[in-house]
Amino acid sequence: MAKVLDSKIPAGPVPEKWKEYKAHQRLVNPKNKLKLDVIVVGTGLAGASAAASLGEMGFNVINLCIQDSPRRAHSIAAQGGINAAKCYQNDGDSVYRLFYDTVKGGDYRAREANVYRLAEVSNNIIDQCVAQGVPFAREYGGMLANRSFGGAQVSRTFYAKGQTGQQLLLGAYSSLSCQVNAGKVKLYTRYEMEDVVIVDGRARGIIAKNLVTGKLERFSANAVVIATGGYGNTYFLSTNAMGCNCTAAVQCYRKGAFFANPSYVQIHPTCIPVHGDKQSKLTLMSESLRNDGRIWVPKKIEDAKALQAGTKQGWEIPEEDRDYYLERRYPAFGNLVPRDVASRAAKERCDKGFGVNNTGLAVFLDFSESINRLGLDVIMQRYGNLFEMYEEITDVFPGDVANEINGVKYYKPMMIYPAIHYTMGGIWVDYELQTTIPGLFAIGECNFSDHGANRLGASALMQGLADGYFVLPYTIQNYLADQSIWGKVPTDRPEFEEAEKAVDAELTRLLNIKGKRSVDSIHKELGHIMWEYVGMGRTAEGLKEGLKKMHELEKEFDTNLFVPGTKEGLNVELDKAIHLRDFFTMGQLVAFDALSRNESCGGHFREEYQTEEGEAKRDDENYFYVGCWEYKGKGNEPELIKEPLEYEAIKVQTRNYKN
Ligand SMILES: Cc1cc2nc3c(=O)[nH]c(=O)nc-3n(C[C@H](O)[C@H](O)[C@H](O)COP(=O)(O)OP(=O)(O)OC[C@H]3O[C@@H](n4cnc5c(N)ncnc54)[C@H](O)[C@@H]3O)c2cc1C
């Protein structure tokens, strides 16, 4: 019999579900809750906010991260902003509209009830962060300022210059520190979770590696929450921080947690193009730049060829010879179409030969019009640090005048190209954010819950903080309420013993391969396979070829890897080898999911399924479900289990950003 997933969504109309849910949940007896321990793995915006909130509610929290401080979690990289339905601009925004935009932006593949809850708590997040002192940008009169992000026709993005993630993380960190000081949160920095420990079918603890001493340690608790981020680095080159990995999530998957929608990977349209094969990182230019920057390529192929040969510069091409292709194709949303749409449109132009740099894989992002209209000062106030970042990397300052044609000043444009950025897929969770393993919860980017097949800009921070501050602290209590009588499991139980031995054996195995190839050289090759066969444009044939190549490369990893050093002490190469082992599992999972989904939706684009205009063609009759995967052992194909989607408030239709 087919397995059926219970998403635990309460009955009733969508807007009422969350309210009813909160009203009916069982609250933990305050006497008991003080005895309950929760492990929170991760100190990004999701993890730090959850750990701080749980601590404040009286739980004993063990909080771990791989960095030397929670403040260095990858969330710090977030630039552009965070969405909320405050409607401060009086432009017709509402909870319903944010809910609708998010479901539509996700190409109707998100769980409707979850998205409604997300939109509803979005406003609380802004209040919470303002109370913490997060310095959001303000209007002259003192009101919080907003800007627009893709997929929305209202201004609902709150921001702190181009450093929103950093400022939000400092806010969450101050709450976390308060709980550390109060003795409710015990922080373990430079610790990496290597395995989850299951006792009698429930998550009861973890095995973590002290990254400085190399020692494995056991942690026991009544529940485990993972908030360990996404799997974008499977592709090697991405906008993610170098340390981002999916080891904790993949290990939970190996232990029985289902992995949902892995093929939904977001490719961000505005990244600095790849410039050589020695690169290990790509840099994002925030989507916020699309508020004032216009994206274009030349209309004439001879101009494109001259740009590629370096005999012409962008600013020498006059207005009438520029093709603002997003404005042309999507007049209603223009440069602010969602990321999947903008990325595909850039690829389409470059595939046709209109790319503007020496590799032919770049388009222009130009501020000439907005600087001429608003002045450089205003543009610098909005994007100053992004302009400086771009200059540091490329030696081109986008605010420099380069030419004047017919009295119009032309500034040096940025060059951008799509790159791997975010992963909508993740560990499957029910409405309470619990995985298929009782007692194991997943929050933030590492779960799959809210974005469907494509995430709208500025919605990741919203989801991470919604999960951490406002959802998990309520829902986890339903699980913990029954757990208080059991107490904590001692760490000398055989389940802990076995899990630790297995982790230790893996470390020994990797060190003993003693082959000839470094971790990075194999990872880079995996990245090439992922980008080539499982990237922006996928075909059944290409995906099968990609899977074959991944199997071969995994064999090379298992037989020809070289990891220097020992298990004892700091060994960064060994840590990276563990991550790469799990990127292999992840890469194959992405390909399996992409192969099984014979449609195009959001970030998943199967070239066989597109309209005549090159837009994604969904198949709602056959693929209107969450694809959940169950691990079946190394080298075996995982099993697909479907969670059917049910929409009652929103009419499922074809996305339209043209009018
Ligand atoms: C360049 C860039 C800009 C972005 N800008 C925006 C934006 O403007 N707006 C927006 O909404 N979103 C943005 N995003 C997306 C957003 O930043 C992320 O989705 C979000 O910060 C993820 O938060 P998180 O808490 O889920 O995970 P992370 O911030 O990735 O944190 C993961 C945590 O888990 C820990 N960890 C990982 N593995 C382990 C392990 N095995 N053991 C122990 N600890 C572990 C890490 O130490 C870290 O503390 C951006 C992303 C990038 C890359």
Side-chain angles (χ1 to χ4, degrees):
M1 206 181 83
K3 289 176 192 162
V4 177
L5 284 174
D6 176 12
S7 56
K8 291 200 192 136
I9 298 174
V14 168
E16 297 306 320
K17 286 185 201 302
W18 177 234
K19 281 183 210 136
E20 268 183 34
Y21 180 77
K22 279 205 284 195
H24 288 142
Q25 69 177 308
R26 288 162 291 170
L27 286 173
V28 174
N29 175 343
K31 276 190 210 144
N32 288 337
K33 79 179 175 189
L34 297 176
K35 291 187 208 144
L36 289 166
D37 291 26
V38 180
I39 295 171
V40 177
V41 188
T43 59
L45 279 170
S49 56
S53 305
L54 290 168
E56 196 162 338
M57 293 168 99
F59 297 104
N60 300 314
V61 181
I62 295 164
N63 190 199
L64 303 90
C65 69
I66 56 177
Q67 289 85 4
D68 54 358
S69 159
R71 286 169 304 168
R72 294 197 217 296
H74 161 67
S75 290
I76 200 178
Q79 302 169 348
I82 175 168
N83 287 331
K86 288 276 195 190
C87 193
Y88 282 168
Q89 305 306 317
N90 204 13
D91 53 7
D93 201 7
S94 63
V95 166
Y96 184 85
R97 194 160 177 173
L98 173 54
F99 160 57
Y100 176 82
D101 285 348
T102 309
V103 170
K104 177 182 171 190
D107 217 353
Y108 301 91
R109 288 290 178 265
R111 206 190 267 151
E112 199 192 44
N114 283 53
V115 182
Y116 187 82
R117 175 177 72 185
L118 175 66
E120 203 181 32
V121 301
S122 67
N123 292 338
N124 301 1
I125 298 171
I126 303 303
D127 297 342
Q128 164 92 0
C129 296
V130 169
Q132 284 170 344
V134 171
F136 283 123
R138 288 177 186 268
E139 310 277 7
Y140 183 71
M143 288 282 281
L144 295 186
N146 292 122
R147 54 189 174 202
S148 302
F149 263 57
Q153 287 172 313
V154 292
S155 269
R156 61 161 76 99
T157 305
F158 294 77
Y159 63 99
K161 234 182 177 183
Q163 307 166 343
T164 316
Q166 181 178 17
Q167 298 306 329
L168 292 172
L169 194 58
L170 288 174
Y173 177 69
S174 64
S175 299
L176 184 66
S177 302
C178 193
Q179 294 310 313
V180 171
N181 191 41
K184 296 309 294 177
V185 175
K186 189 146 178 20
L187 199 56
Y188 292 85
T189 58
R190 309 206 74 180
Y191 272 73
E192 177 163 294
M193 168 179 161
E194 305 293 352
D195 202 0
V196 56
V197 180
I198 316 278
V199 180
D200 296 334
R202 291 170 188 274
R204 295 293 202 172
I206 64 165
I207 304 296
K209 181 171 179 254
N210 178 326
L211 297 176
V212 178
T213 64
K215 207 169 153 281
L216 295 178
E217 295 181 26
R218 304 172 189 184
F219 294 87
S220 167
N222 300 87
V224 177
V225 180
I226 62 162
T228 48
Y231 50 89
N233 276 353
T234 308
Y235 288 78
F236 188 67
L237 284 184
S238 87
T239 62
N240 290 4
M242 296 290 289
C244 288
N245 68 91
C246 55
T247 286
V250 166
Q251 202 52 32
C252 293
Y253 163 64
R254 290 199 187 103
K255 284 285 179 88
F258 290 0
F259 208 103
N261 294 336
S263 65
Y264 295 165
V265 170
Q266 179 162 84
I267 294 166
H268 197 299
T270 56
C271 304
I272 299 184
V274 176
H275 61 71
D277 63 0
K278 301 282 182 288
Q279 233 174 316
S280 53
K281 174 89 188 68
L282 291 177
T283 308
L284 176 80
M285 286 288 105
S286 169
E287 175 164 320
S288 59
L289 293 167
R290 289 201 265 147
N291 274 257
D292 289 303
R294 297 177 74 195
I295 296 177
W296 66 278
V297 293
K299 275 184 187 160
K300 298 180 190 156
I301 194 77
E302 54 271 26
D303 278 346
K305 291 216 168 101
L307 289 167
Q308 288 159 19
T311 53
K312 201 169 210 173
Q313 302 297 331
W315 52 83
E316 291 167 341
I317 298 176
E319 198 58 27
E320 60 275 17
D321 289 337
R322 297 176 172 203
D323 176 16
Y324 295 97
Y325 57 88
L326 289 177
E327 298 170 32
R328 168 172 58 78
R329 285 180 66 177
Y330 309 99
F333 283 71
N335 293 293
L336 285 172
V337 286
R339 292 172 179 176
D340 56 328
V341 177
S343 293
R344 267 196 296 281
K347 182 175 184 295
E348 188 272 338
R349 283 294 78 195
C350 292
D351 287 352
K352 292 253 161 69
F354 289 92
V356 300
N357 68 352
N358 57 348
T359 63
L361 297 176
V363 298
F364 286 129
L365 175 63
D366 199 311
F367 292 85
S368 299
E369 188 276 331
S370 53
I371 298 176
N372 285 335
R373 180 168 40 90
L374 300 167
L376 185 58
D377 279 357
V378 173
I379 294 299
M380 285 303 283
Q381 268 168 32
R382 290 180 188 171
Y383 316 108
N385 68 319
L386 298 171
F387 275 32
E388 282 154 17
M389 204 164 94
Y390 186 83
E391 186 186 19
E392 255 175 49
I393 294 170
T394 64
D395 209 21
V396 170
F397 184 66
D400 277 349
V401 184
N403 199 5
E404 194 165 326
I405 310 175
N406 299 332
V408 179
K409 283 188 181 143
Y410 287 94
Y411 293 79
K412 291 185 178 170
M414 288 183 179
M415 282 189 200
I416 51 163
Y417 196 67
I420 296 290
H421 176 65
Y422 179 88
T423 49
M424 282 75 67
I427 293 288
W428 183 88
V429 286
D430 61 17
Y431 193 63
E432 304 192 355
L433 304 182
Q434 188 166 210
T435 70
T436 43
I437 300 175
L440 179 66
F441 294 76
I443 59 173
E445 191 175 339
C446 81
N447 76 19
F448 90 104
S449 67
D450 294 348
H451 307 293
N454 173 59
R455 171 176 73 78
L456 289 185
S459 286
L461 302 182
M462 173 174 71
Q463 181 227 328
L465 290 179
D467 287 359
Y469 283 134
F470 298 108
V471 182
L472 179 93
Y474 287 108
T475 60
I476 199 172
Q477 298 191 33
N478 285 335
Y479 175 76
L480 290 172
D482 294 338
Q483 292 306 302
S484 51
I485 50 167
W486 299 110
K488 257 191 345 177
V489 174
T491 55
D492 57 4
R493 274 187 66 119
E495 291 86 350
F496 277 92
E497 190 82 32
E498 272 165 34
E500 188 183 315
K501 263 195 197 152
V503 173
D504 189 59
E506 268 299 278
L507 298 175
T508 309
R509 177 180 78 87
L510 294 170
L511 281 164
N512 284 347
I513 296 173
K514 296 196 189 310
K516 297 211 164 3
R517 291 192 59 180
S518 69
V519 178
D520 278 354
S521 80
I522 300 179
H523 192 176
K524 192 186 269 190
E525 202 174 322
L526 173 66
H528 282 303
I529 297 172
M530 291 299 292
W531 185 248
E532 183 74 19
Y533 299 100
V534 201
M536 275 179 86
R538 302 160 174 178
T539 61
E541 208 184 324
L543 288 164
K544 284 181 200 152
E545 184 63 20
L547 273 167
K548 205 172 110 210
K549 285 185 182 296
M550 273 190 258
H551 283 306
E552 282 160 14
L553 189 63
E554 196 176 18
K555 268 192 213 140
E556 172 83 351
F557 172 82
D558 284 334
T559 54
N560 197 19
L561 176 75
F562 175 69
V563 180
T566 63
K567 274 189 283 188
E568 289 75 38
L570 185 83
N571 190 340
V572 179
E573 282 299 300
L574 182 56
D575 301 336
K576 284 199 304 194
I578 288 280
H579 296 169
L580 181 53
R581 176 199 65 181
D582 301 326
F583 286 136
F584 271 111
T585 307
M586 199 59 236
Q588 291 165 42
L589 198 50
V590 176
F592 277 125
D593 191 40
L595 193 55
S596 78
R597 198 169 269 283
N598 294 319
E599 64 164 351
S600 294
C601 54
H604 165 63
F605 192 72
R606 282 279 299 272
E607 288 174 1
E608 305 96 316
Y609 308 101
Q610 53 180 308
T611 65
E612 275 172 16
E613 289 169 307
E615 306 290 353
K617 196 168 165 192
R618 286 196 331 252
D619 175 355
D620 293 336
E621 207 174 307
N622 295 302
Y623 296 94
F624 195 49
Y625 60 74
V626 177
C628 313
W629 294 89
E630 186 175 11
Y631 186 64
K632 292 289 172 191
K634 187 173 173 177
N636 299 329
E637 195 170 327
E639 186 186 339
L640 175 65
I641 293 125
K642 300 171 185 174
E643 180 207 332
L645 289 168
E646 282 163 30
Y647 278 34
E648 54 184 56
I650 286 181
K651 186 168 172 276
V652 178
Q653 50 196 334
T654 304
R655 278 195 308 178
N656 175 8
Y657 291 102
K658 291 180 196 293
N659 42 49

